[in-house]
Amino acid sequence: MPRGKTTGKATGKPACQLLFSEALRQQKHPSAEDPPPLPCTNMADDTQAATMDRILQEISAVSRKLEGMDIAMVVLTLETRTMRLDIVGFQSQLSGLDQRVATVETQVAQTGPQETGWKWPPRPIIVCMLRHLQARQLLQTARTQGPLRSGNLEIRISADFSKETAERRKAFLSSAPNPVA
């Protein structure tokens, strides 16, 4: 008979207790043929109780972790909502900027097409460089790479010497064994 089951509805006692009480009755009235039964121990009940305690501890640990996760989810939800509100604000600012840019583009278009040609020839820009080495490097780069371009404009770099200086330079360069440009 399994433990914990009752033998009858009238007594309501577990089978182990009934066997033990029967053994006590037989000790009072010993019979020669039956030895007294061993007392019933509840080792299985102790093991079940220990297992149940461990299960309850694990459940409470999981519960604490879930509570921590709940708090984290609430925080994440709040942060997500604030980010969503920030994004909506940025979108409204961008739409306002788009409208302003469209207005400016319309005003620029109304001022008339830009002229592609020049009415006057470009003016020279004179630059005085204090370091002779930097001036030579700039001129050398301008000679090797050709004129610079900025949109439709062509920018040329050249040395501007007086006639006397240009003649002296020319004579010096022609007489030098290794001419430097």
Side-chain angles (χ1 to χ4, degrees):
M1 215 182 263
R3 294 179 186 212
K5 296 267 183 167
T6 57
T7 56
K9 292 183 182 178
T11 59
K13 293 183 179 180
C16 185
Q17 288 179 351
L18 287 176
L19 288 175
F20 188 68
S21 61
E22 184 66 31
L24 285 177
R25 212 177 303 126
Q26 286 180 0
Q27 281 181 354
K28 291 180 185 176
H29 308 290
S31 70
E33 54 204 50
D34 289 332
L38 296 173
C40 181
T41 59
N42 290 332
M43 291 174 82
D45 291 341
D46 291 341
T47 309
Q48 283 181 343
T51 304
M52 292 299 285
D53 287 340
R54 272 188 270 128
I55 290 172
L56 286 175
Q57 288 173 355
E58 290 178 15
I59 288 173
S60 66
V62 169
S63 174
R64 284 190 298 268
K65 288 180 183 178
L66 287 175
E67 287 174 1
M69 290 172 70
D70 275 346
I71 292 170
M73 288 299 291
V74 167
V75 169
L76 284 174
T77 303
L78 290 174
E79 288 177 357
T80 305
R81 286 180 184 164
T82 55
M83 286 181 188
R84 197 176 295 155
L85 291 173
D86 290 343
I87 289 171
V88 168
F90 291 142
Q91 287 174 340
S92 66
Q93 287 178 353
L94 282 174
S95 66
L97 289 174
D98 284 341
Q99 290 173 356
R100 290 175 61 188
V101 167
T103 304
V104 169
E105 287 175 344
T106 304
Q107 290 174 353
V108 168
Q110 290 174 354
T111 59
Q114 303 223 346
E115 295 182 19
T116 57
W118 291 94
K119 294 180 183 177
W120 301 284
R123 293 184 171 186
I125 299 173
I126 299 174
V127 177
C128 178
M129 299 188 83
L130 299 177
R131 293 194 173 89
H132 180 67
L133 182 62
Q134 288 177 344
R136 283 180 45 198
Q137 288 174 347
L138 181 67
L139 288 170
Q140 180 65 32
T141 305
R143 276 190 216 107
T144 58
Q145 292 183 359
L148 300 172
R149 292 210 168 270
S150 174
N152 292 334
L153 295 177
E154 185 176 291
I155 301 171
R156 297 180 189 205
I157 299 174
S158 62
D160 186 25
F161 298 113
S162 65
K163 282 185 183 181
E164 292 119 17
T165 308
E167 288 173 7
R168 285 185 198 157
R169 183 173 189 272
K170 192 176 197 179
F172 174 75
L173 292 176
S174 63
S175 68
N178 191 2
V180 178

